[in-house]
Amino acid sequence: METLIKKVDEKSVKEAKDILTGGGVVAIPTETVYGLAAVGTNSQAVKKIFEIKGRPSDNPLIAHVHKDYDLNKLVTVKHDYVYDLIKAYTPGPLTMVFESKGVICKEATCGGDTLAVRIPSHVGCQQLLKAIDMPLVAPSANLSKHTSPVTAKHVYDDLSGQIPLILDGGKCSGGIESTVLDVTGKTPRILRAGLITKEMIEAVVGCCGIAEHKEGDKVKSPGVKYKHYRPHCKTALYTREQIKEILDKYNEEIAVGGKPYIMCANDVAENFLEKNLLLLGSTPEQIASNLYDKLLEGEKKSTLIIAVAMPDESGVYMGIMNRLRKSCG
Ligand code: TXA
Ligand code: MG
């Protein structure tokens, strides 16, 4: 199968819509990472997503809807704070897990009684969702375990030959996957950290928990137990205090004929003068936005990515550190 990359416009959106309503899958841009989409009510189409990615069959998918879509068609909203969160942070990188009404096929929810729903803000993605007016389920458009794609080219590198169309909506601005929030209980609970931070949720709801992922939990985020986001080269992760260890590791790799790169925030780069660097930027938002792009750049030109941790785990850094541990730890 030939895989075409087409800029998002009226014509390509129409083509994507036709493929999707015909039971096919299409890669789509969102403001977080690219998604591999199928119509959420079509079991056969949804099965294709799992096959193409090599995704474990117990890891459910997120349903994406346009901003005027009536959520009550898909899920039961039990708590009023949900409407405050919708008002404050959607469309945007916030996924909420509700009690499902069973409209989305069981292949997508993996037979569970909950459904994760997200309203993406990416203009091209909204355009497609509006045109199709049905929920599209979509995991990140990478092969299972690999780093999530933030450009159409990244998707092509993983999935060319397996899908007919990649809608190109430019580089994703957010850069890490959405925050996944369990809203089935009286207090919302973060299942996966992202750009909508614990602090931002607390500011609206007054409180916000973080899931510890214990066995027997009613709502778990199965995805968090898998190895994830890993680039194809070797990796290592160090704290910002381990400058000597980082330089030793770097030199060891050079000594065996390798090509190491140090991936770090701009403020620690001065410790690594004249070394190969993958610079992530200065603010937490810049760092999130560049993280996967730099990992995917690094795996192409380097034998070892030496990642340097963030200063702490507050705000957006929580989501970044979660990805860094899984990709490089
Ligand atoms: O930003 C994003 O969320 C991207 C873009 C494409 O929208 N999508 C994405 O999908 O990251 P995926 O499949 O790579 O990750 C979905 C996460 C997984 O950790 C999964 O376990 C969790 O959401 N999830 C999905 N449905 C769930 C449910 N019903 N209950 C708990 N966790 C769920
Ligand atoms: Mg993923």
Side-chain angles (χ1 to χ4, degrees):
M1 179 188 298
E2 193 189 357
T3 301
L4 300 175
I5 300 180
K6 295 191 178 178
K7 287 249 174 294
V8 188
D9 58 24
E10 225 169 280
K11 189 158 165 269
S12 62
V13 163
K14 167 85 173 55
E15 279 177 53
K17 180 185 167 184
D18 290 346
I19 295 168
L20 289 162
T21 51
V25 300
V26 173
I28 62 168
T30 84
E31 72 280 17
T32 57
V33 301
Y34 274 73
L36 185 61
V39 170
T41 49
N42 184 330
S43 301
Q44 291 310 317
V46 172
K47 278 187 198 160
K48 285 184 198 165
I49 292 180
F50 283 83
E51 280 164 25
I52 291 169
K53 278 184 63 94
R55 185 179 176 97
S57 60
D58 65 347
N59 193 8
L61 306 182
I62 296 170
H64 299 69
V65 296
H66 64 74
K67 61 183 180 2
D68 303 315
Y69 194 88
D70 180 6
L71 290 185
N72 295 297
K73 287 198 225 168
L74 301 179
V75 296
T76 306
V77 179
K78 290 214 284 200
H79 303 284
D80 285 342
Y81 68 75
V82 168
Y83 297 106
D84 300 331
L85 287 172
I86 289 175
K87 195 167 164 219
Y89 300 127
T90 73
L94 176 64
T95 295
M96 289 187 276
V97 176
F98 300 89
E99 221 168 73
S100 175
K101 288 189 173 165
V103 176
I104 297 298
C105 66
K106 65 176 189 334
E107 285 74 12
T109 57
C110 301
D113 50 15
T114 56
L115 177 68
V117 184
R118 159 158 137 74
I119 308 166
S121 62
H122 188 285
V123 176
C125 186
Q126 275 289 325
Q127 207 181 326
L128 173 67
L129 288 166
K130 197 85 193 180
I132 200 156
D133 198 26
M134 283 189 282
L136 292 178
V137 293
S140 47
N142 52 283
L143 294 173
S144 195
K145 299 191 181 69
H146 191 214
T147 312
S148 305
V150 294
T151 65
K153 174 71 169 58
H154 293 156
V155 180
Y156 188 87
D157 288 345
D158 261 21
L159 302 181
S160 76
Q162 298 214 69
I163 57 175
L165 178 63
I166 301 168
L167 281 185
D168 184 352
K171 185 180 172 213
C172 304
S173 57
I176 58 173
E177 298 83 351
S178 61
T179 303
V180 179
L181 188 70
D182 171 13
V183 297
T184 61
K186 272 196 190 131
T187 305
R189 207 166 53 120
I190 292 178
L191 302 177
R192 178 178 71 183
L195 290 171
I196 304 297
T197 63
K198 180 173 190 283
E199 292 81 353
M200 289 165 74
I201 294 163
E202 281 169 347
V204 169
V205 184
C207 52
C208 176
I210 298 180
E212 286 173 47
H213 299 287
K214 296 190 293 288
E215 269 317 304
D217 267 5
K218 194 165 166 287
V219 178
K220 288 187 275 194
S221 210
V224 298
K225 77 183 180 202
Y226 293 109
K227 275 204 169 158
H228 255 122
Y229 318 121
R230 299 200 79 91
H232 293 317
C233 61
K234 289 180 290 181
T235 58
L237 175 61
Y238 289 92
T239 67
R240 321 187 119 209
E241 288 70 46
Q242 292 177 297
I243 305 297
K244 181 179 176 308
E245 288 85 344
I246 293 169
L247 292 171
D248 286 349
K249 183 85 180 165
Y250 188 95
N251 291 329
E252 266 169 41
E253 186 67 9
I254 300 262
V256 297
K259 195 166 185 207
Y261 272 78
I262 298 170
M263 187 176 80
C264 63
N266 292 8
D267 64 328
V268 288
E270 63 191 23
N271 296 296
F272 311 119
L273 289 178
E274 286 166 47
K275 304 287 183 249
N276 297 326
L277 290 179
L278 295 163
L279 282 180
L280 291 170
S282 302
T283 66
E285 288 74 19
Q286 278 170 9
I287 293 167
S289 164
N290 290 324
L291 182 62
Y292 292 153
D293 194 38
K294 291 295 165 189
L295 284 170
L296 290 166
E297 181 187 328
E299 75 173 14
K300 287 217 157 108
K301 59 187 188 189
S302 135
T303 54
L304 168 69
I305 298 174
I306 304 171
V308 185
M310 297 299 117
D312 58 61
E313 304 228 5
S314 65
V316 173
Y317 285 143
M318 188 190 289
I320 295 172
M321 281 309 297
N322 164 290
R323 283 13 174 238
L324 267 183
R325 280 196 203 94
K326 288 189 177 158
S327 60
C328 300

